[in-house]
Amino acid sequence: MIFGIAKTIAFLSQGTTLLPGDVIFTGTPQGVGMGRKPQLWLKDGDVVEVALEGVGGCTNKVEFAKSQAKL
């Protein structure tokens, strides 16, 4: 982990109330896809699913932001 558990909890608790039983998903550090051969990156439209047995799961669709710039 880039940041320790105590530091992560302290930071998150500044903006939200953490309760017993809350689960904090921290993801993976930047560069994980870069270190693979061949390199692997998330693409627009990819679906990321995570699950914890007995707790539940979370599904997120990757959607790159569309540019708002006027040409």
Side-chain angles (χ1 to χ4, degrees), residues 1 3-16 18 24:
M1 290 182 67
F3 301 104
I5 295 169
K7 189 172 226 172
T8 300
I9 291 172
F11 175 77
L12 292 173
S13 67
Q14 291 175 13
T16 188
L18 297 174
I24 300 170

Side-chain angles (χ1 to χ4, degrees), residues 1-2 4 6 15 17-18 27 31 37 42 50-51 56-63 65-66:
M1 290 182 67
I2 295 172
T17 301
L18 297 174
K37 292 188 193 244
L42 290 174
V50 295
C58 178
T59 302
N60 288 289
K61 182 177 179 183
V62 176
E63 293 185 10
K66 308 296 184 249

Side-chain angles (χ1 to χ4, degrees), residues 39-48 60-64:
Q39 292 181 337
L40 181 63
W41 307 100
L42 290 174
K43 301 176 296 303
D44 193 43
D46 282 352
V47 176
V48 178
N60 288 289
K61 182 177 179 183
V62 176
E63 293 185 10
F64 291 156

